[in-house]
Amino acid sequence: MQHVILGLLMLAPMSLYDLHKQFTGGASLFYAASYGSLQRALAGLVERGLVTAEAVPGSARGRRVHTVTPQGRAAWEAWMREPLTGAGAETAMLAKVYLAGLLPAEGRAEVLGVLREHAAAALADLQAFARDLDAQEVGERHAEIFRYQRATLEYGLRSHALALEWLGEVADGM
């Protein structure tokens, strides 16, 4: 979430309320965030020197506006170029595409290339797994269990193929 916040703050300095609006108005397509989670993430970014927080003069509620520091921009750019890993890979992919317009053209091409490589490798792994799985004999006793497990694998195959196709379209300018 912190990298998504950094990217959104690169658009303009924002208060917690403004950031929450940005999440509910767009980033919620791939990432949901409560006020509390945003507040904790902002505090961590401020503590690490990636964001500054300045009080708004005359604000009755202690409104603070957050701005990305040069170190925050560098951390965001490094994250954008990192390969995807772990269980949150799909969410990270969507976040990176969502924010890719903040990069110069060559940076966007690099990021989309890394994302496409990841999607292609993940799809190839799933296809190999499917071949191995389909080559196994499934007894009558486990046929129904296998059917639903194979259906879940089919979802993974289709979603990875779609992601790869979609990333290609995004890279080509849709």
Side-chain angles (χ1 to χ4, degrees):
M1 175 191 309
Q2 290 188 349
H3 294 101
V4 175
I5 291 171
L6 288 172
L8 293 174
L9 289 176
M10 287 168 47
L11 296 170
M14 294 183 216
S15 67
L16 173 63
Y17 175 78
D18 297 329
L19 271 170
H20 190 262
K21 275 179 47 177
Q22 287 291 319
F23 268 85
T24 57
S28 66
L29 294 169
F30 56 88
Y31 208 112
S34 66
Y35 278 105
S37 63
L38 286 170
Q39 193 169 31
R40 285 186 298 279
L42 281 168
L45 290 168
V46 169
E47 186 176 304
R48 292 172 43 211
L50 304 179
V51 168
T52 61
E54 293 185 29
V56 175
S59 172
R61 294 186 179 194
R63 184 172 184 229
R64 301 171 65 83
V65 174
H66 301 84
T67 305
V68 175
T69 65
Q71 298 87 344
R73 183 174 184 86
W76 177 82
E77 288 178 359
W79 171 76
M80 286 291 286
R81 289 174 168 79
E82 285 177 3
L84 299 174
T85 58
E90 182 179 26
T91 299
M93 176 192 70
L94 293 171
K96 289 179 179 192
V97 171
Y98 186 78
L99 298 169
L102 294 167
L103 292 169
E106 65 275 3
R108 288 190 301 265
E110 177 187 347
V111 167
L112 291 170
V114 168
L115 295 175
R116 289 173 76 182
E117 288 172 13
H118 173 80
L123 178 59
D125 288 346
L126 284 176
Q127 289 168 333
F129 181 70
R131 282 190 300 276
D132 291 346
L133 188 65
D134 292 343
Q136 295 178 12
E137 291 247 352
V138 178
E140 189 176 316
R141 180 174 170 216
H142 295 99
E144 279 301 297
I145 295 168
F146 176 80
R147 183 170 82 90
Y148 288 96
Q149 291 175 345
R150 184 60 173 86
T152 305
L153 175 58
E154 184 63 28
Y155 172 83
L157 289 164
R158 290 181 190 189
S159 67
H160 281 74
L162 177 62
L164 186 57
E165 178 186 339
W166 173 71
L167 287 166
E169 290 172 3
V170 171
D172 292 341
M174 298 192 78

